[in-house]
Amino acid sequence: MNDAAPAPTPAPAPRRRARVRAPELIGKGGWLNTGGKDLTLADFRGRVLILDFWTFCCINCLHVLDELRELEEKHRDTVVIVGVHSPKFVHEADHAAVVDAVERYEVHHPVLDDPELATWKQYAVRAWPTLVVIDPEGYVVAQHAGEGHAHAIERLVEELEAEHEAKGTLRRGEGPYVAPEPVATDLRFPGKALLLPSGNFLVSDSTRHQLVELAPDGETVVRRVGSGSRGFTAESFSEPQGLALLPDGRVVVADTVNHALRTFDPVTGAVETVAGTGRQWWQGSPTSGPAMEVDLSSPWDVAWWQGKVWIAMAGVHQLWTWDPETAAVAVAAGTTNEGLVDGPVAEAWFAQPSGLAAAGDRLWIADSETSALRYVQAPADGSAGGSADGYAIVTAVGSGLFDFGHRDGDAAQALLQHPLGVTALPDGSVAVCDTYNHALRRYDPATGQVSTLATDLREPSDAVLVDDDIVVVESARHRLTRLHLPEEAVRVDAVAHRTRRAATEVAPGTLRLDVVFQAPAGQKLDTRYGPSTRLLVSSTPPELLLGGEGQGTDLFRELELNPEVAEGVLHVSAMAASCDDDPANEYPACHVHQQDWGVPVRLVPDAATRLPLVLAGLDAE
């Protein structure tokens, strides 16, 4: 035994970081929220710059916007966040639509509109959302894909502040954000609407965080519900969306950014929370139980069907239910994987389900990111008794994450573009708010045909029936629009699109997939209960992969690509859990990092044999 006093532990040396010069910021659409000034990287010298590559259709991007609000406020004199808007859908390349989205989601920092993905390509971004951190001297020091990284970025920001304060290269002061002039309208980007028994309309006025009751004319304001400020109190909502009437006369509200369900009593005016904790659901959290104890994730719409409230849980690509009798919530359909897979509800994949409509033994679904109309089919004999047994998911229109457009005709080849709403019609057909096509579409199950009922709407997001009329929520025109249901469909020129991202060229045969993850400073992988990482790989078409598909715990995989398949999409889902590395803390804070990628690939001889996807950190190879 050595009784000598232990040598003092030396102070840790500053971490060495890769030095990668940040490319210039280029976007054909120009700058928003800067008072008309064009910015360059030189304008951010001396500040910590965070680039947020986002697109306004993406629910994960909206989650990240919310995650960054606190960091943005706390470090406002040293940090500048710049949103780089990088479109997936054709509509998202429309500059006016980007302007609307920046206001709709209360983006309070400069935004570069990059419709041609020029800056996306310069920074080798592969997923929405992606965050890139640039130090005050203009070097890229970290990249994070997906959500759940705010804590790691804040730690890095604090390190960069200390480092560059000491070097004299940190410049404090006000950032370049200039707020746009507010516009006075009764509604501002309304989301969903409901016809009340009184004949009035109830509308979720999403950007103003309120519910608004309108008279039967759809214009006269009767009352407003909520303070108008973002919050989670009896007087406040946060970007509410879906509305559904309960049998007892109350209205259930999808309080989207509060990750909660609320009820509103039109008689008393009372607002009550009935499901959700206000926290966002993460992998590993409970998926059923007492409604007030289970986290939810961006509930976007609600519908009363089969004796329960069904929830379009856009944030995790699932359907959930809330039972008012038992005060419990549970997953009803979906695996949390993003895509289009039909079959038994427990095996189905969705992509941001955003609209619901009950009609007999079917619950219709607007599955926005797959540009699809789908439905839950209840057992014909009702034998399931409310359980998941016998329920199935069926796609009526749509083929996947990357094909969209405006094409009528047979449902097998018809195309939609990011629909957000669906409404059951009296004749058994359904109307679809085809949001990014600015159109109202119709699908007739009896004939299998898709037609167009109306065009020249502006981002329609919901519709309700009133006698022989249909009242459409024109979200980007900030109003309700009453249309008479036409007997004949409107004729339009058919168009078809694929996602704007260029395919990655890879060699046929063996492809090394590396998901790059570096635990944030002061953290380590959480292995207390087994592996802390997960990797799931599949492909479209399935024949693209001869080997390597499926789930595992390593963040690397040897894939075998079929040389007979010229191109396709690799679907990669990765998760890593890290915890504070402090042996003295019995209950360290832990964080989940996760992202889904859909990587279009083209097989080319002698092309790359390695595909790196950065979850957190920088790719060293």
Side-chain angles (χ1 to χ4, degrees):
M1 185 173 72
N2 187 349
D3 293 328
T9 302
R15 289 191 301 157
R16 296 181 62 84
R17 298 190 184 91
R19 301 281 284 177
V20 179
R21 176 65 71 179
E24 189 53 82
L25 305 178
I26 304 168
K28 188 175 181 180
W31 288 86
L32 304 176
N33 285 353
T34 64
K37 180 180 179 181
D38 290 337
L39 302 176
T40 68
L41 274 176
D43 293 306
F44 305 105
R45 191 62 55 85
R47 311 294 288 274
V48 178
L49 176 62
I50 301 173
L51 302 182
D52 176 14
F53 289 87
W54 71 298
T55 189
F56 63 79
C57 73
C58 161
I59 191 67
N60 309 92
C61 299
L62 304 187
H63 289 167
V64 166
L65 281 175
D66 206 47
E67 288 178 3
L68 292 176
R69 293 185 201 280
E70 184 177 345
L71 182 147
E72 192 169 21
E73 178 61 29
K74 184 177 178 181
H75 298 272
R76 61 185 308 165
D77 67 332
T78 59
V79 171
V80 176
I81 296 174
V82 167
V84 182
H85 189 269
S86 312
K88 170 186 174 182
F89 290 100
V90 169
H91 170 59
E92 293 174 311
D94 178 355
H95 181 71
V98 179
V99 173
D100 283 348
V102 168
E103 180 189 351
R104 180 195 300 263
Y105 298 116
E106 298 184 308
V107 180
H108 293 166
H109 50 248
V111 173
L112 175 64
D113 181 12
D114 183 18
E116 296 178 344
L117 303 182
T119 296
W120 166 287
K121 294 170 186 173
Q122 287 293 312
Y123 281 82
V125 175
R126 297 184 184 274
W128 295 279
T130 291
L131 298 169
V132 175
V133 182
I134 299 171
D135 73 13
E137 294 180 288
Y139 291 91
V140 175
V141 292
Q143 182 171 325
H144 301 264
E147 50 186 300
H149 301 293
H151 66 284
I153 291 176
E154 175 152 16
R155 179 72 177 263
L156 176 57
V157 163
E158 291 170 349
E159 288 184 4
L160 291 171
E161 286 174 340
E163 177 183 335
H164 289 273
E165 189 90 80
K167 291 174 64 176
T169 50
L170 184 70
R171 176 170 57 87
R172 296 179 181 270
E174 288 297 317
Y177 170 68
V178 178
E181 289 294 323
V183 181
T185 53
D186 287 332
L187 301 173
R188 206 69 193 160
F189 299 104
K192 305 288 185 180
L194 175 69
L195 184 64
L196 295 171
S198 65
N200 288 350
F201 295 97
L202 189 67
V203 183
S204 55
D205 197 17
S206 303
T207 297
R208 293 209 176 111
H209 316 296
Q210 290 180 316
L211 308 181
V212 178
E213 186 174 346
L214 301 176
D217 62 7
E219 297 180 2
T220 305
V221 175
V222 175
R223 62 173 158 173
R224 296 183 180 274
V225 182
S227 66
S229 298
R230 186 188 298 273
F232 190 32
T233 70
E235 293 78 32
S236 301
F237 300 92
S238 188
E239 297 182 31
Q241 288 283 342
L243 307 166
L245 193 64
L246 297 175
D248 63 9
R250 292 180 300 162
V251 176
V252 61
V253 182
D255 195 4
T256 304
V257 179
N258 277 329
H259 310 295
L261 297 188
R262 322 288 291 279
T263 57
F264 164 64
D265 189 331
V267 176
T268 67
V271 173
E272 180 184 359
T273 302
V274 295
T277 63
R279 298 184 300 270
Q280 184 183 340
W281 186 94
W282 289 100
Q283 290 286 351
S285 301
T287 55
S288 64
M292 298 289 288
E293 300 175 13
V294 177
D295 299 339
L296 308 182
S297 182
S298 295
W300 205 274
D301 202 8
V302 282
W304 179 259
W305 186 61
Q306 302 274 311
K308 297 179 181 179
V309 171
W310 288 65
I311 310 164
M313 202 72 77
V316 285
H317 318 299
Q318 290 181 313
L319 303 181
W320 287 42
T321 59
W322 168 59
D323 187 342
E325 290 294 321
T326 62
V329 293
V331 172
T335 64
T336 74
N337 293 316
E338 184 178 12
L340 193 153
V341 175
D342 288 342
V345 289
E347 301 172 12
W349 291 22
F350 298 95
Q352 288 180 217
S354 301
L356 299 174
D361 62 354
R362 290 182 178 179
L363 178 69
W364 293 96
I365 308 159
D367 199 31
S368 61
E369 278 294 287
T370 54
S371 297
L373 173 65
R374 307 172 74 183
Y375 60 89
V376 185
Q377 178 66 59
D381 59 0
S383 59
S387 72
D389 297 336
Y391 285 79
I393 305 301
V394 182
T395 297
V397 183
S399 59
L401 286 165
F402 301 98
D403 293 287
F404 52 91
H406 192 151
R407 181 193 288 154
D408 288 334
D410 186 76
Q413 54 84 50
L415 293 172
L416 309 170
Q417 187 179 177
H418 197 79
L420 290 178
V422 60
T423 306
L425 300 179
D427 64 358
S429 65
V430 290
V432 180
C433 287
D434 194 5
T435 308
Y436 287 2
N437 280 327
H438 309 300
L440 188 67
R441 312 286 292 282
R442 176 177 178 264
Y443 167 68
D444 186 351
T447 64
Q449 295 293 300
V450 175
S451 56
T452 299
L453 296 177
T455 58
D456 194 32
L457 301 169
R458 186 68 181 171
E459 293 192 17
S461 55
D462 197 20
V464 294
L465 286 175
V466 183
D467 301 323
D468 294 330
D469 293 340
I470 189 164
V471 176
V472 179
V473 179
E474 279 198 271
S475 187
R477 282 201 177 110
H478 320 293
R479 71 186 188 191
L480 304 188
T481 299
R482 185 182 292 260
L483 305 171
H484 189 71
L485 282 171
E487 295 181 4
E488 296 184 1
V490 177
R491 293 187 62 83
V492 297
D493 294 329
V495 292
H497 303 287
R498 284 185 64 81
T499 181
R500 301 173 67 84
R501 283 182 291 170
T504 298
E505 293 187 350
V506 294
T510 301
L511 176 70
R512 166 83 178 204
L513 172 66
D514 282 320
V515 174
V516 178
F517 178 76
Q518 297 161 3
Q523 295 184 24
K524 64 178 181 179
L525 289 175
D526 179 16
T527 57
R528 292 172 298 167
Y529 309 108
S532 61
T533 55
R534 185 191 69 176
L535 180 63
L536 176 66
V537 180
S538 63
S539 67
T540 303
E543 297 77 23
L544 174 64
L545 281 177
L546 296 176
E549 70 275 14
Q551 184 167 310
T553 57
D554 292 323
L555 291 181
F556 61 88
R557 187 80 58 86
E558 296 286 342
L559 308 181
E560 194 67 27
L561 301 183
N562 187 348
E564 302 300 319
V565 178
E567 61 181 12
V569 178
L570 292 174
H571 303 284
V572 181
S573 178
M575 184 274 289
S578 62
C579 294
D580 292 344
D581 188 9
D582 181 1
N585 187 352
E586 186 179 356
Y587 303 103
C590 296
H591 310 275
V592 175
H593 316 257
Q594 62 184 47
Q595 174 62 14
D596 295 333
W597 291 267
V599 184
V601 295
R602 182 180 299 114
L603 273 60
V604 177
D606 301 322
T609 59
R610 176 177 178 265
L611 177 62
L613 300 176
V614 177
L615 179 59
L618 291 173
D619 182 27
E621 294 189 31

